[in-house]
Amino acid sequence: DPAGCETYRANAAAYAGELRGLDAEIRTAWATVPAEQRRVITTHDAFGYYARDYGVRFLAARGVSTEAEPSAQGIARLIRQVRQEKVRALFVENISDPRLIEQIARDTGARPAPEPLFSDALSPAGGPAPSYAALMRHNTRALVRAVRGD
């Protein structure tokens, strides 16, 4: 589509600028949280990119797949780690069954965050994460609040 090429380039440049601004917002939000506090328990291991880019340590009850069954030994190890490290942030994801996180919460005394993280799916149009940028903003706000204990 040669006729649309300039429009595509302009749209790409505008979106790249939006993503740079989003990245700066997220870095600013995390700058107020000490590195040793940046620990989060999630249902499955879906946030490697976020951990790498923003210095957050995600501990997952399951592996990468939401279908994976965690072992009793793995859950016991995670519960010990939550207690030892005083992890405050427990999250269910929008696509996950909450029962495992609820069990970890009962066994550790930590409480699950009141809102889910969005990992592998967006929310409906009227929800908190209808686009990638909205998803990242929602997740960052929820993560920072939970890690701080707010």
Side-chain angles (χ1 to χ4, degrees):
D1 182 20
C5 194
E6 286 306 311
T7 300
Y8 304 143
R9 283 191 183 114
N11 289 346
Y15 191 57
E18 181 183 339
L19 294 177
R20 282 190 296 277
L22 175 63
D23 179 64
E25 284 177 44
I26 294 169
R27 289 182 190 285
T28 298
W30 281 107
T32 63
V33 180
E36 64 276 1
Q37 260 185 271
R38 297 179 186 187
R39 294 181 309 266
V40 178
I41 304 293
T42 57
T43 311
H44 84 291
D45 197 8
F47 295 95
Y49 67 95
Y50 197 102
R52 179 198 65 227
D53 291 350
Y54 303 111
V56 180
R57 192 163 146 225
F58 287 88
L59 306 166
R62 291 188 168 95
V64 174
S65 170
T66 56
E67 302 299 316
E69 286 298 322
S71 70
Q73 181 181 17
I75 297 299
R77 183 174 44 250
L78 187 58
I79 288 169
R80 281 192 304 277
Q81 191 169 7
V82 169
R83 287 177 179 153
Q84 289 169 351
E85 296 182 20
K86 297 178 177 54
V87 177
R88 296 184 206 176
L90 299 176
F91 279 95
V92 173
E93 294 152 54
N94 65 315
I95 60 164
S96 299
D97 184 334
R99 290 179 293 179
L100 183 55
I101 293 296
E102 290 166 353
Q103 174 193 342
I104 293 168
R106 279 191 306 274
D107 291 345
T108 63
R111 69 189 159 118
E115 52 194 328
L117 293 181
F118 287 81
S119 57
D120 298 336
L122 299 175
S123 71
S131 69
Y132 173 76
L135 174 149
M136 293 296 285
R137 285 184 180 100
H138 166 83
N139 284 353
T140 298
R141 280 190 301 271
L143 287 163
V144 169
R145 275 193 297 245
V147 166
R148 287 183 179 160
D150 295 349

